[in-house]
Amino acid sequence: MLVKTYGAAVTGIDAIVVTIEVVADKGFAYTIVGLPDTAVKESYERVRAAMKQSGYEMPRKGIVVNMAPADVKKEGSAYDLPIAIGVLTATGLFEAPELDKYMIMGELSLDGSVQPIRGVLPMAIEARARGFKGIIVPEANVTEAAVVNNIAVYGVETLRQVIDFLRGAEQLQPTVVDTRAEFASSMGIFDCDFADVKGQENVKRALEVACAGGHNILLVGPPGAGKSMMAKRLPSIMPPLTLGEALETTKIHSVAGKLKRGSRLMTHRPFRSPHHTISPVALVGGGANPMPGEISLAHNGVLFLDEFPEFPRTVLEVLRQPLEDRHISISRARYAVEYPAGFMLVASMNPCPCGYYNHPTKPCTCPPGAVVKYLGRISGPLLDRIDIQCEILPVPFDELSSMRSGESSAAIRARVIAAREIQQRRFAGEPDVHCNAQMTPRMLARYCALSPKVMDILRNAINKYDMSARAYDRILKVARTIADLAGSETIEAQHMNEAVSYRNLDRSTWGRTDVSTPF
C-alpha cells in the first residue's frame, strides 16, 4: 500500500514541500531514499521506539520511504513524525482519511514525545501557500507557526496525540495568535534607554544621524568611555519594524534555531554582537549544513563589532560585499544559497594599542607609528564603507555625577522616524531603496544637489584630507540625512560641515604624533 505524507525542507530562509512516500510490501528491509542525511537515516530507531511507546509495533514488512523531490538534500530529525505516520498508515495500523490535507513535521523521542525543530515559520508560510488545511508541529513551536494566519496550526506533544487526531478520535484546537495586536503592544518596550547616558551629546547626535539614514558608524575612544553602552541602546532609537520586516527577521532566526520556546513574531530590531574570535563562515553563513551567519541574523537591525581591529583581516574583508549589496550569496560544491544581510554596521575600537591616544588627561604610551599601524588593521576599502567615524572622549566627573537624566530614547526616536518618513516619500518609486544610505550615484545627483557655497565646503574637505570617491558619496548621503533631520529640502552649509566632521579617520593628521589632531 502506498501512502503519502507531507513535510518541508528549508532552503535559504524559505521552505519547499517534501512529499514522503511510504510503501509496505513483502520483505523485512527498511529503506529510505531521496538524498537523506545521516540524521534522517537514523530515524528508524526513533520511529520504532516511539511507535512501541504509543501502542504499536514496527510492522514486519519491507518498507521503502521515498522523500521527493529526490534531488534536494533532506537534513535533520524533523522528518521523524511524518515518516512514522506514513509507516503506520501504509501498513494498515490506522486510517487517516484527511492525511493529505496536513503538513506534518517534528522530531520523535524514544518515549514517543515530539521535540521542537528549526524553521517552523517558513514551513507554515509554505503550507499556507500550497493550500494545506493545516500544519501539525511540536507544541514548543506552535506559537511561532501560528504567526501565519489563514491556516490551522496544531501543536502536539506525543505521537499518540497525532495518531488520534488524524483518525478522528481526538479533537485538537488550533492555536490562534493575533499577530498585529501583539506586534503593536510590545514594539515600543526596551530594556535600555539613552536617558541613562550622561554627557556624550556629540556621540548621541552621531548615532541619531546614523539611525535616521541607516548609515554605518565607527566609534573610536579610550576604554570605559561608553562605546559599547551606547551601541547597545541603538535599537531603542531606530525606526520600528514594519510587519513585513518583522516576519522576514523572524524567519531568519527560525531557520537558525535562535527562537526561544514559545516565541512569536520578533518586534524589536535584532542586535548581534559576535566576539572577535568569530570565523568567516560563522559571520557570513554556510557550513556543511548551510545556516545563516551573524550578518543575516542582524538583518533589519544592528551588527555590533566591538574591538574592531582585533577581528582577523579575513573576517573583516568578507563584510565588504554584503555592506554594498545587502545580501550574501554562498556557493559551495554541493549547494548555493542566498541570505538577506541588510544590517547597519556599528563598530567600536580603541584609538591605539594602549587605548589612550588623544586622551585629554592620560598620555599615550605607544611607540612612534603604532597608532597608524593599529588603524591599518582595518583596510581602506572597508573604512570607506563606514559613513560616520566619531571619536568618544571620557565624560567629565561633573557630568558623570549629575543626577539629571539625558534625553530619552523616545524623543530621539521620534526625530529619527520623522526623518525616515521623509525618505520613504522620497524613495517611494524605488523598490530597493528605503533610506539615504542606500542611495545610488544616480540618486545622489538627483537628491543631493549642492549650491556653489556648499560645494566649496565639500571640495575643500576632499582636497585637504585626500578623501576617496567613495568617501565623497558617503559625505553626501550623511549630509542629506542631517538635512532631513532638520526638515530642510536642501543641503545647507551647516549640514555639510557636520557631515564632513564625521570623517575623522580620513584626515591625514590622524595617528601622527608630530601634529595636533583636532576633532
Side-chain angles (χ1 to χ4, degrees), residues 195-199 396-407:
D196 304 327
V197 180
K198 303 293 181 65
F397 178 79
D398 291 342
E399 291 188 19
L400 195 61
S401 60
S402 173
M403 299 303 293
R404 183 179 59 190
S405 297
E407 187 176 23

Side-chain angles (χ1 to χ4, degrees), residues 124-135:
I125 293 173
E126 180 65 13
R128 181 182 64 179
R130 295 293 293 270
F132 284 94
K133 178 180 178 181
I135 178 171

Side-chain angles (χ1 to χ4, degrees), residues 413-448:
R413 194 185 203 193
R415 295 195 296 270
V416 170
I417 292 173
R420 282 292 182 101
E421 289 174 349
I422 294 173
Q423 295 166 49
Q424 288 175 1
R425 293 193 294 270
R426 177 182 300 137
F427 304 126
E430 305 287 347
D432 297 326
V433 178
H434 308 286
C435 59
N436 289 333
Q438 301 170 14
M439 282 193 289
T440 63
R442 175 182 58 83
M443 296 177 191
L444 288 176
R446 180 177 179 183
Y447 299 119
C448 300

Side-chain angles (χ1 to χ4, degrees), residues 407-487:
E407 187 176 23
S408 69
S409 291
I412 301 173
R413 194 185 203 193
R415 295 195 296 270
V416 170
I417 292 173
R420 282 292 182 101
E421 289 174 349
I422 294 173
Q423 295 166 49
Q424 288 175 1
R425 293 193 294 270
R426 177 182 300 137
F427 304 126
E430 305 287 347
D432 297 326
V433 178
H434 308 286
C435 59
N436 289 333
Q438 301 170 14
M439 282 193 289
T440 63
R442 175 182 58 83
M443 296 177 191
L444 288 176
R446 180 177 179 183
Y447 299 119
C448 300
L450 303 178
S451 66
K453 178 182 177 182
V454 178
M455 182 62 77
D456 285 342
I457 296 174
L458 180 56
R459 181 185 298 109
N460 292 336
I462 295 293
N463 293 335
K464 182 176 180 180
Y465 302 122
D466 194 23
M467 296 179 182
S468 67
R470 185 178 283 116
Y472 169 86
D473 289 349
R474 303 288 173 177
I475 291 174
L476 282 179
K477 293 176 182 180
V478 172
R480 181 65 266 173
T481 299
I482 295 170
D484 290 342
L485 283 169

Side-chain angles (χ1 to χ4, degrees), residues 194-195 197-209 230 390-393 395-396 399 404-408 412 415 498 502:
F194 269 96
V197 180
K198 303 293 181 65
Q200 303 291 16
E201 298 303 324
N202 63 319
V203 184
K204 292 180 186 176
R205 171 64 177 178
L207 294 173
E208 178 183 338
V209 173
M230 284 188 281
C390 180
E391 190 186 34
I392 300 180
L393 296 178
V395 181
E399 291 188 19
R404 183 179 59 190
S405 297
E407 187 176 23
S408 69
I412 301 173
R415 295 195 296 270
E498 183 178 354
Y502 291 140

Side-chain angles (χ1 to χ4, degrees), residues 218-222 349-352 355-359 369-376 378 383 389-393 465 503-519:
L218 172 62
L219 305 176
V220 185
M349 61 177 284
N350 295 330
C352 65
Y356 296 107
Y357 173 71
N358 213 33
H359 194 282
V371 180
V372 175
K373 185 178 179 180
Y374 189 69
L375 180 61
I378 307 169
L383 202 58
Q389 303 154 3
C390 180
E391 190 186 34
I392 300 180
L393 296 178
Y465 302 122
R503 301 296 302 185
N504 290 327
L505 298 187
D506 287 336
R507 302 184 177 191
S508 57
T509 54
W510 171 259
R512 290 175 54 187
T513 56
D514 58 330
V515 293
S516 175
T517 307
F519 281 91

